[in-house]
Every structure is written in C-alpha cells, then in structure tokens.
Amino acid sequence: MGFSARLLALFRKEKLSDELEEELAFHLAMREELNLKQGMPREEAKRTARKSFGNPGVWRERMSEIDLMVLPQTILQDLRYGFRMLYRNAGFTCVAIIALALGIGVNTAAYTAYKTIFSRSIDSRDPASMTNLSMMHGDGQVDAIFSYPDYLAYRSNLHSFDGLIAQGQSVDMLKLSGVGATLSQKEGESDSLMGKLGLFPSGVTNVEYAGTLFVSGNYFSVLGVAPLKGRTFDGTTDSQLVANPVVMLSENYWQTRFGGDVSVIGQTLQLNGVALTVIGVTPHNFAGTGLAVPDFWLPLVYKPLLHPDDRGLRDVNEACCRLFGRLVPGVSMAQAQEEMTAVAERLRPLHASTSSMSKPGNALVWPASPFPRKLDGGLKFAVTLIMIAVGMVLVIACANVASLQLARAAARQNELRMRMSLGASRARLVQQLLTESVLLGLIAGVLALFVTWGLLEILLRAMGRIIPPEYGTLVYRVAPDMQIFAYVCAISLVAGVLFGLTPALESSRSALASSLKANAETSPGRNRKLRSALIAAQVSVSLVLMITGSMLIRSSVKALFAETGYETKHAVDVEWNFPEGKKYDAERKRVFTAELRARVNAMPGVVATTFGRAPDGGGVRTAAVTTNGEVPTKQNAKAYLYYTYVQPNYFQTLGIEHVAGSSFSVQGGESEASVILSESAAKRLWPGENPIGRSLRMGVGDLYHSKGEQLPDGPTFQVIGLVHDVLGQLIDGSDVEQIYVPMLEGQTRDAPLLVRTQMDNAAFRNALRPVVASLDPDVTFSSSTLDQMLRQTPRFLVSTFSATVASSIGAVGLLLALMGIYGTVSYIVVLRTREVGIRMALGANRPNIIRLILRESTRPVMVGILAGMVLSLGAAYLLRDVLYGLSTVDSGFAFVGVSVLFFLIALLAAYMPSRRATRIDPIVALRYE
C-alpha cells in the first residue's frame, strides 16, 4: 500500500478493522475446511486450524503495519499509557520531575544568561544588517576604537553602508546641576548592592553625577529608533548642534530621577556646567549599541564643550569611538570589509608612527554586538567551564532518575513479562519505556522553563540594583524566544533518552530472560550493578562540583584576607577631580595639591601622607627592561616589569618593609636616577645575585600610557634598594614584580594622596570635606581605604564570582545526588520487604538489618567518592589560574573535608529508609506481595 493510501487509512480505521477481522476469519475457515477434508472431526479441525494459524493478535498487528501508518498510532497509545503509569506512581513521578527540572533548569538558566549577555544584538531596527567595525594588524592586535577624524573619513568614503555611526568608548560621569534637589553620589552608591558590600569608593555628598554617552548626530536615525517623547538629534547639522546645545534623556532615568514628568522636555539643565536643553526621551531599556542604558545621550561634537581640556576630536591619533554600520541591502560583510581595508590603507600615513593605525592591517566587519571584539580565549574558557559544570548537573539528574527507573523496573517485571507473553516484542517494550522517560523529561522541561524564567527575572531585577543609578541601568532580556524553547525541548528529549535508555534495555532484557513468576523477591543482580554504577556516577560528579566550589571559596577568602605586605585598614586613598577648563592650569593644580597635603597633615589622627599609586589601585604600567645598558626594545628586553612613581616616604607611609639598600633621598624638583626593586623583580632580573648597585634601563615604546604622562624612558637607573613584595591587583599576581621610580614634584597634582590615619574612613572623610571645600568648593573628591580598594581588584572579584557560581552549582548537584540516594534506597527497601521479614523471622535484629542495607547502599558511594577525588584533581588543574594562594593544606582540606562531609550526608540519606525497613512486622513482611 502506498504512502498516501496508508495516510488516508488512518481516517477509516473502523472499516479497515472490520475488513481485517473478516480476512482473519476467512483464513481460519479455509484451514478448518482443509482439516475437515483430511478426515478430522470438526472440533479437532477447528483446534488444529487455530494452532497452526498462530496468535491472531500478532497477525492483526502485522497486517495493520501493512495497511496503516502505525507509528503515530502507537506513540499516542504509548503516551496515554505513559500518562496513566506516571499518575499511578505519583511519588516516583514527582521526585523524578523535580530532579530533572533542577538539572534542566540550571542548564536553561546558564544558556539564557549566555544568550542574554554574550550573544545579544544591539537595539535597532533590523539588527541583522548592523555590523561592528574594527581593524586587525599583522601582529594579531585588534583595534576597535577609532579617532573621530577616522570616523568622518570612513563615513564619507565607505559606500557599502547605508549609514555609519560612532559611539564613545565608555560612559562619561558628568556633574549634573540645575535640576532642583541634589541626589548625592554617596546616597546612590549606598543604596546599591555594590555600595553596601563596599565595592565602591565613598563619594562626596554635595555633587550629583550622571552617566552620559556621547554618540554621533546620526546615531538614532541609522539605528532606526524613534524617541518615546520629543525628538532626537537627527536632521540637525553639527554646527547647529553646537550653536544650540541639546540633550536626550533615557526613559529609565526620566522615571527614576524626574518621576516621568513630561514638562522636563524643553527645560534646561547643566552637565559639567554647560547649559543643555532636553529635547527627547529614548524608549524604555534602550541601550543602543551598549550593554547599559546611560542617563543622558549627547552628540559627540559636544565633547570639547563639556571637556574643555579634551582635544581628541581634532587629533587623528586620539582614539575615542567605536564604529557601527548598517549594510546596504545586497552587500555582504566580506565586500564591506574589502572596501574598508582599502580606505584604511589610504588613512594609514595620516597617523603617527607610534600609532597602531599606522601599521598595515585588515578591516574586520562582523555582526553588531555591544562587545567591541569577539570573546577572547580567557572568557571563552570561563564560559566553557560554566557550561561543563551545568552539564554535569544534568548528568547527575539523569543518573538520579535512571537509578530510580531501574529500582522501579524491578517492581514492573510481572507487567513486562505478561506483555511479552501476549506477543509484545522487546523493541515494543523498549519503545514504551522510552516514551515514558521522554514524557517525564518534557514535563520537567516545561516546569524548568517557567521556573527558570521567573527566577531569572527576579535575579536580574536584583542585578539591576547592583550598581548605583548614576552609572546607568544594566539591561538583561530573559524573555523566552524560539531559540530558548528549542534548547529546552532538545535538552529535555536528550535527558529523557539519557536516563531512560539503559533502564528500558535492562528491564526488557530481564523480562525476556525470566519466566513468569508470582513475584520477584529481590532485584536482579545485573540491575543492582547498574544502579550502583549510576549512584557512583552521581556521587563522583557531585563531589567534583563540591570540591571545586570549596576550593574557589577558599581562594576568595584568601584573596580578601591575604597578607598584602602593606597597611590596608588604616591607609586611605584620596582622589579628586578639578573642573575642566583653562581656569585650572598646572600651577593652580600643583598649589591645590600641596596645600591639601599640608592641611591633611595637620588633621588630628593623621600619621603620614604621601603621593603615589596604591598597590591595589588602578593605572598599572609596564616597561621593557634591559640590564646591559642598551635601549630596551622587543628584541633585547630581558623582562617586562611593572613600574610606579613614588615619593621617598611612600614605603614608610604604607608600611612596606625594606629588605636591603637605602630609600630615595628627599629631593626638590629634580629626580634622582635611581630605583628601588621588589624582591620578585630583583629575582627576575638578577636571579641569585645582589641587585644593589646594578643598573637598568626602561622603555615604554608601544606599551599603554596616557597622553602627557611622564615616562621612565631614557636614563640609566641605579638600583639603590630592595623592598618586600606587595599584593597587587592582577589575577595572575605578576604585578608583584615592581620597579619604584622617584616622583617629581610636578607629578603630584595627578597622583592620589595616600594617608596613614588612626581614624576610620567615614570619620576621615567627614573631616576632609570642609578642608577641600575651604580650598576650592568646585573640586570634588572621593576616598576609600586600601582594604576597600582590595575588594575592587580583579583578583577578588573573579574569585568571588567563581566561588559563587561553583558553590551554587555544587549545592544543586549535592541535592540531586542525595535525592537519588534516598529515593533509590527507599525503593529497594520496599522491594526487599519480604527478604527483610524472612531475615528478622530467622533471628536478625534491627542493627544487623540496618548495617546490611547501609553497607550495600554506601559501597557505590565510596566508589563514587574515590572517582570524584581523582576527577577533582583534573578540575583543580584547569582552574589553577583563578585559584589564588591555596596551599597544600587548603587543597587537602577541600579534597578530604568535602569528601568526608559528602559521605556523612549520603550515609544519613541512606540511613532513614534503612531504619524504616526495620520497623516492619515480620509477619506482615512475609505476606508482602
């Protein structure tokens, strides 16, 4: 029968069934008539005909397969039967669904978070046609930041794009005024989660800041985004924008700061003292080409207006902007890339020889993303580890349910044997059991999807309050889409097959091999081994997650309470900001800093002050170093080390211990050609030798430094001293290799003031505020202890984040493993009820019974613990870059301590059902069926 005929036959099953019965009856009658002709009595002829014909049910199925598409029909039958079986075993169903929902939910949450953060597109009409633009040079370096003159040149000469837009590389914090009552930075930060955790420096109380993003005038038109209220910058030339300064509000800030007051549009406010007219409000949660929603949007041409000291818009060597383009319909990214490479080659001679843009390179045009470049290796590795960890949770969940399925299968042996005796094939039984498993997985997937969605919404709302409002609004979109639905569906089906296939094959094998019995007293040995293997797998994977989580937590604690080598509790970092403009020239800044230091020295409780960068502060600098007198280059550099400028009393103020040699002399305006090394730097340059009296030269070359910054290039420095290593801020700890260079008096205006004080930071800040105000009320400042700054270092933040993720995933894995142990042992105890009754009737006491069950239950747990410890060694090796300062004792505690704890918890999980088994009356147990 053809495909179309078999498909139509599905809608006339009753008629086909009648025809089939008629055909079967015809064949039986013909055989019976043949037997009668051979001389058999009628009854014997009928019996012999039925015997030779075989099972009519089997013939009905075979003939149906010829005439009908039986797969949809059998699947529907299996689904109906599966629903009935799951309903009849409600306890097993609930436990299995909860376990699977946890496993699927964790994976769904991880995938959704990855898609929300790393795979998100920009906010625009038809985002598929929007692209990121960057340059890759011959050494593999990728430049995603261009100068404003470069942007104008590309915009004029690239014809592969319908429009090209520019965005400032970061959000600028501008001083907001002219809007009524001031919302202080301190209040905003203290209300945020990071402020409560001490992850922001303490701010001032008389200044309000707002996060502002500078964009090109055509930004909104190219993105195809209309304002919620008012208008955008479109249709206005740069000269018109400069003549009548305007600003746009984000809807988020409009609501939180101005209460959604429509009358704000058309009013004037001030940013950095510049009057601007509000002309519009962007849509809710509109982040444009970024990750966060800024408070204000300003045209790029306003940068010199709001930052009078900034000459970047006219300097071809001053990178300022990221570029995005909308492709012309029909133009491919490869074509646009080729055209941009040609234009870049023409622009190359316009850049200084020290600029990376002066080097030959190729343009990169790729799908628009808020990230300036594709994920680098380190971030990819971190994402991969997280996905592996959540995948392990799913493995635990599947092993959990599979062990429960095997235990439950022992109770279904009679049912399965009966079905096989009625003609069902082993493949048919496997199909039925797999259908039940997939059904469980899909139900758990639906539950996991909605629960995960709700939890992520709650979590991300909380994350939105992590940073203060003036830094912008982080936007995460977790609404389920077709990709997430497809992911959940796929992972649910995979989970159903994973945990269902082995029990289905094993159950059908047992049913095929065994004869029909009244009952099975104990589960088959093969099933028992499989259950033990599955429990061991759960335990080993859970233990890996728990041990790595424990090690990361210890690492986070070490990062926070590590011996820094300098004073952190009573040392305060004070930084200030001068208003921009010609009013504050270098001399006025120098006078202010000198007077501020003198006033601070006179404050009660102040022990000492010095200018310099704190060891855990930002702004690290590196230089190529030679020790043979040659000018450092990439070819002859002996090492690349970190350097920082300090004053002579820097080490005494921070309590950094001298090891050998002398300190800098107290000088006036000229710098001495001498340096002090950290112990690690000395070992790097002269291993096993005395560095005192040796000479070195430093060269910055193409390494990062800010414009106008003093560089240590040129002179030959003599090493006059050696100090202990101090804890820096980098994750790999490489910044312990420090070269300390004497600071010129003229540099103090740009360096933080480090204060050794006996007061706490709050009292010190309150005492400092009137001092700064009396010197210059327009100068703003911030202060934080070096201990607070330590909490903001990448080492601490990465360790804390890793510990939080790993411990959370480990806790879910532990819960699933314990559910599996408890559920499996409970089920086995029920199956062995009659055996327990016999043992107790023969004289076994309760402790003996408990020991017997615990011994059998904990054997696979011990195997899993041993396997988990071995696997954890590999996991610890992979995580070595984020495991800070762990000793052998710490690692031993993580391995042994967590393993013992896990064993005790698993023992408790197995003890409860074991103890319940001993409470059964032996007479009742002997009658148990």
Side-chain angles (χ1 to χ4, degrees):
M1 181 179 286
F3 175 81
S4 57
R6 296 175 70 188
L7 185 63
L8 290 173
L10 288 173
F11 302 98
R12 45 192 294 267
K13 289 187 292 186
E14 292 184 3
K15 183 178 180 181
L16 281 175
S17 179
D18 292 340
E19 292 175 355
L20 180 60
E21 291 298 330
E22 183 179 340
E23 187 172 352
L24 287 174
F26 171 76
H27 284 288
L28 280 172
M30 292 296 293
R31 284 181 179 271
E32 184 179 344
E33 185 176 347
L34 181 61
N35 290 339
L36 288 172
K37 289 182 178 180
Q38 292 176 353
M40 292 184 187
R42 181 169 293 278
E43 289 299 325
E44 184 180 354
K46 184 181 295 187
R47 184 171 62 254
T48 304
R50 289 187 176 278
K51 186 176 180 180
S52 61
F53 186 74
N55 190 334
V58 173
W59 282 110
R60 288 190 188 94
E61 286 193 8
R62 291 180 179 176
M63 295 178 71
S64 295
E65 291 173 1
I66 296 173
D67 294 335
L68 291 168
M69 294 180 66
V70 294
L71 185 60
Q73 184 179 9
T74 55
I75 289 177
L76 289 175
Q77 291 172 352
D78 290 345
L79 287 173
R80 285 196 297 268
Y81 184 75
F83 270 116
R84 288 201 302 270
M85 292 300 296
L86 295 179
Y87 179 76
R88 284 177 56 189
N89 296 272
F92 161 80
T93 302
C94 290
V95 172
I97 287 176
I98 291 172
L100 286 172
L102 281 173
I104 296 172
V106 169
N107 277 265
T108 304
Y111 175 74
T112 305
Y114 170 81
K115 185 175 181 295
T116 299
I117 298 174
F118 297 112
S119 295
R120 63 182 291 178
S121 183
I122 61 175
D123 295 335
S124 71
R125 172 184 55 81
D126 187 20
S129 64
M130 293 295 299
T131 60
N132 283 46
L133 277 64
S134 55
M135 290 294 299
M136 176 177 282
H137 304 289
D139 57 0
Q141 177 187 354
V142 176
D143 275 324
I145 311 299
F146 298 81
S147 68
Y148 192 70
D150 280 342
Y151 160 66
L152 295 178
Y154 284 124
R155 189 176 69 179
S156 301
N157 292 282
L158 292 180
H159 305 293
S160 300
F161 298 95
D162 262 344
L164 206 65
I165 58 176
Q167 168 208 300
Q169 58 181 314
S170 61
V171 172
D172 278 18
M173 301 304 298
L174 303 181
K175 187 165 64 174
L176 175 65
S177 57
V179 290
T182 297
L183 174 65
S184 74
Q185 182 185 10
K186 180 180 179 230
E187 292 167 353
E189 287 170 353
S190 63
D191 288 340
S192 68
L193 179 58
M194 290 185 76
K196 292 175 181 176
L197 295 176
L199 300 182
F200 276 101
S202 304
V204 297
T205 57
N206 61 337
V207 175
E208 180 177 356
Y209 285 98
T212 306
L213 187 65
F214 287 94
V215 297
S216 56
N218 62 341
Y219 186 82
F220 295 97
S221 61
V222 172
L223 290 180
V225 175
L228 181 68
K229 302 285 184 182
R231 62 181 180 86
T232 66
F233 311 130
D234 302 329
T236 310
T237 63
D238 288 352
S239 58
Q240 290 173 326
L241 287 171
V242 172
N244 299 288
V246 294
V247 65
M248 290 188 68
L249 280 170
S250 71
E251 191 273 346
N252 305 66
Y253 193 67
W254 180 52
Q255 292 291 345
T256 57
R257 182 62 180 84
F258 299 100
D261 185 4
V262 181
S263 65
V264 170
I265 299 176
Q267 292 186 5
T268 300
L269 53 81
Q270 292 184 356
L271 290 173
N272 274 16
V274 177
L276 300 156
T277 302
V278 179
I279 61 169
V281 178
T282 60
H284 178 66
N285 279 350
F286 174 72
T289 49
L291 284 170
V293 179
D295 301 328
F296 292 99
W297 304 81
L298 283 174
L300 264 168
V301 292
Y302 288 177
K303 264 215 162 185
L305 188 65
L306 283 94
H307 297 293
D309 297 335
D310 190 343
R311 299 292 184 267
L313 291 191
R314 294 188 290 272
D315 189 349
V316 72
N317 296 306
E318 189 73 26
C320 68
C321 314
R322 290 182 59 198
L323 304 188
F324 301 83
R326 183 179 293 280
L327 290 171
V328 171
V331 175
S332 68
M333 292 186 190
Q335 291 171 317
Q337 195 164 281
E338 184 178 352
E339 184 187 19
M340 183 177 173
T341 299
V343 175
E345 184 62 26
R346 295 200 299 271
L347 296 176
R348 195 160 62 85
L350 303 178
H351 294 83
S353 59
T354 55
S355 171
S356 60
M357 289 296 183
S358 67
K359 302 173 183 176
N362 294 309
L364 294 179
V365 178
W366 47 289
S369 164
F371 296 96
R373 55 180 59 89
K374 298 177 182 179
L375 298 186
D376 58 25
L379 195 53
K380 282 183 179 179
F381 180 66
V383 171
T384 301
L385 285 182
I386 291 175
M387 296 306 293
I388 290 174
V390 298
M392 292 166 72
V393 172
L394 183 62
V395 169
I396 296 170
C398 291
N400 184 328
V401 180
S403 61
L404 289 175
Q405 287 273 61
L406 280 172
R408 179 169 168 258
R412 297 183 65 181
Q413 287 299 304
N414 284 351
E415 171 205 341
L416 299 178
R417 294 179 190 125
M418 181 68 73
R419 295 182 67 184
M420 293 192 77
S421 68
L422 293 175
S425 64
R426 186 186 177 198
R428 188 69 182 83
L429 289 183
V430 170
Q431 179 184 324
Q432 170 60 50
L433 295 174
L434 266 182
T435 302
E436 292 180 25
S437 300
V438 170
L439 189 59
L440 265 179
L442 290 175
I443 294 172
V446 172
L447 177 64
L449 177 67
F450 290 103
V451 171
T452 304
W453 181 26
L455 290 177
L456 279 175
E457 280 286 353
I458 295 171
L459 176 64
L460 295 179
R461 286 177 186 271
M463 288 182 67
R465 295 191 293 272
I466 285 180
I467 64 173
E470 62 267 19
Y471 288 85
T473 304
L474 291 175
V475 177
Y476 304 97
R477 298 178 178 88
V478 296
D481 55 20
M482 289 309 298
Q483 284 188 7
I484 294 176
F485 275 120
Y487 180 82
V488 173
C489 184
I491 204 170
S492 300
L493 289 172
V494 169
V497 173
L498 277 178
F499 75 77
L501 186 60
T502 299
L505 292 173
E506 187 58 34
S507 301
S508 61
R509 182 186 292 113
S510 299
L512 181 65
S514 304
S515 58
L516 189 61
K517 296 181 180 179
N519 190 32
E521 289 85 358
T522 59
S523 58
R526 186 182 177 92
N527 276 10
R528 190 180 302 119
K529 290 179 181 178
L530 274 174
R531 282 198 305 272
S532 297
L534 290 169
I535 290 176
Q538 295 178 63
V539 171
S540 62
V541 176
S542 300
L543 193 65
V544 170
L545 295 175
M546 289 183 64
I547 288 177
T548 52
S550 171
M551 295 177 73
L552 287 166
I553 290 172
R554 293 284 296 171
S555 175
S556 179
V557 172
K558 286 273 186 179
L560 183 59
F561 297 104
E563 178 57 45
T564 60
Y566 60 94
E567 176 59 46
T568 60
K569 301 291 185 183
H570 298 286
V572 180
D573 177 280
V574 180
E575 300 185 26
W576 50 87
N577 292 309
F578 294 105
E580 296 184 64
K582 295 180 180 179
K583 177 182 174 183
Y584 289 87
D585 56 15
E587 179 60 22
R588 179 168 182 176
K589 292 177 180 179
R590 187 195 65 77
V591 170
F592 173 87
T593 54
E595 183 64 24
L596 176 64
R597 182 179 185 180
R599 298 275 190 97
V600 171
N601 278 326
M603 290 171 57
V606 172
V607 178
T609 62
T610 187
F611 286 106
R613 185 186 67 83
D616 53 3
V620 293
R621 297 290 187 266
T622 55
V625 181
T626 58
T627 57
N628 56 5
E630 295 181 355
V631 177
T633 63
K634 289 182 179 180
Q635 289 72 32
N636 66 3
K638 185 168 185 179
Y640 282 85
L641 302 181
Y642 294 85
Y643 71 91
T644 185
Y645 286 93
V646 300
Q647 289 195 309
N649 68 335
Y650 178 87
F651 306 104
Q652 293 81 2
T653 301
L654 296 186
I656 300 174
E657 184 180 350
H658 262 275
V659 177
S662 61
S663 185
F664 299 124
S665 62
V666 179
Q667 80 284 359
E670 293 298 324
S671 172
E672 56 183 305
S674 57
V675 293
I676 294 175
L677 302 182
S678 68
E679 290 179 294
S680 293
K683 291 176 183 176
R684 181 77 178 279
L685 295 175
W686 296 283
E689 302 178 28
N690 183 6
I692 305 300
R694 302 293 185 104
S695 297
L696 60 83
R697 296 188 69 174
M698 290 186 284
V700 174
D702 294 337
L703 299 172
Y704 175 79
H705 59 273
S706 58
K707 192 174 182 180
E709 177 182 337
Q710 182 185 3
L711 303 177
D713 292 345
T716 299
F717 293 95
Q718 183 181 22
V719 179
I720 64 170
L722 193 66
V723 295
H724 268 309
D725 290 343
V726 294
L727 186 67
Q729 66 160 335
L730 299 184
I731 295 175
D732 60 4
S734 60
D735 53 346
V736 298
E737 300 176 341
Q738 284 284 347
I739 300 175
Y740 298 96
V741 187
M743 178 184 291
L744 291 171
E745 283 298 318
Q747 291 178 267
T748 58
R749 67 178 185 271
D750 300 318
L753 179 65
L754 302 177
V755 183
R756 182 80 171 266
T757 176
Q758 297 173 346
M759 297 182 286
D760 62 32
N761 186 38
F764 174 77
R765 187 178 65 248
N766 290 333
L768 182 62
R769 188 175 299 114
V771 172
V772 175
S774 65
L775 288 173
D776 193 329
D778 293 328
V779 174
T780 60
F781 76 94
S782 64
S783 67
S784 57
T785 65
L786 302 195
D787 186 59
Q788 290 173 323
M789 294 175 66
L790 190 64
R791 295 171 182 265
Q792 303 166 42
T793 59
R795 173 187 284 111
F796 176 75
L797 294 176
V798 169
S799 297
T800 304
F801 174 76
S802 303
T804 303
V805 172
S807 56
S808 300
I809 295 174
V812 175
L814 173 63
L815 175 63
L816 286 172
L818 295 182
M819 286 174 60
I821 294 170
Y822 180 84
T824 303
V825 174
S826 297
Y827 226 109
I828 294 303
V829 165
V830 172
L831 293 175
R832 299 180 66 174
T833 299
R834 190 174 182 189
E835 176 194 345
V836 170
I838 293 173
R839 289 179 180 273
M840 294 183 70
L842 293 175
N845 55 29
R846 290 184 175 181
N848 289 337
I849 298 296
I850 291 176
R851 278 196 297 270
L852 172 68
I853 298 176
L854 285 181
R855 186 166 58 249
E856 294 185 6
S857 302
T858 55
R859 191 178 294 123
V861 173
M862 289 301 299
V863 173
I865 287 176
L866 292 175
M869 293 179 72
V870 173
L871 291 173
S872 296
L873 289 173
Y877 177 78
L878 290 175
L879 294 172
R880 63 191 183 280
D881 290 336
V882 295
L883 292 175
Y884 167 75
L886 290 189
S887 63
T888 304
V889 175
D890 294 316
S891 301
F893 173 80
F895 276 76
V896 179
V898 172
S899 300
V900 171
L901 177 64
F902 192 102
F903 178 76
L904 293 176
I905 296 174
L907 194 66
L908 179 63
Y911 173 76
M912 289 186 287
S914 303
R915 185 168 177 268
R916 190 166 58 245
T918 63
R919 296 179 177 178
I920 302 173
D921 187 337
I923 302 300
V924 175
L926 289 171
R927 294 174 178 171
Y928 178 77
E929 290 292 332

